[in-house]
Amino acid sequence: MQEADRRTQWALLRFSVLGPLVSSRLEHGDRRALFRLAAQRTHVDPDGRAVKLSARTVEAWFYAWRRGGLDALKDAVAMVYYFITHPAKK
């Protein structure tokens, strides 16, 4: 897989995690609750691994998206705060 495709896959994962954060108009406190909610879920990364994210990571991705859209999510500092929980079931 080419690097550009890989970066796009990661950007799409990040965008999918943001879900309701990008689709509605929210107050600051509402955003914080959604950051925490997204962090409670297990997500599957482009390599098929199940991952957990911190609320801070989700927040960083949200503000990156607000500044630069999907392209900003291609280069978001990604996985400083996540840890691999187990391989995802296919």
Side-chain angles (χ1 to χ4, degrees):
M1 177 181 311
Q2 293 193 355
E3 183 62 25
D5 293 337
R6 185 153 179 73
R7 289 174 59 231
T8 298
Q9 284 185 336
W10 279 100
L12 292 172
L13 165 71
R14 293 172 185 135
F15 188 74
S16 72
V17 168
L18 296 178
L21 288 158
V22 300
S23 64
S24 55
R25 192 174 190 118
L26 302 167
E27 297 298 321
H28 185 71
D30 296 332
R31 285 193 301 265
R32 287 245 180 249
L34 288 173
F35 296 150
R36 286 190 302 273
L37 186 62
Q40 291 172 356
R41 294 188 182 111
T42 300
H43 305 277
V44 179
D45 75 11
D47 296 324
R49 298 175 296 197
V51 296
K52 292 286 239 173
L53 305 167
S54 73
R56 177 65 187 102
T57 295
V58 176
E59 181 179 10
W61 292 352
F62 173 75
Y63 289 112
W65 173 81
R66 281 189 50 185
R67 282 189 305 275
L70 193 60
D71 282 338
L73 293 178
K74 289 180 181 180
D75 297 320
V77 174
M79 304 302 160
V80 174
Y81 298 105
Y82 92 33
F83 60 92
I84 299 170
T85 56
H86 52 74
K89 301 216 187 313
K90 294 188 182 194

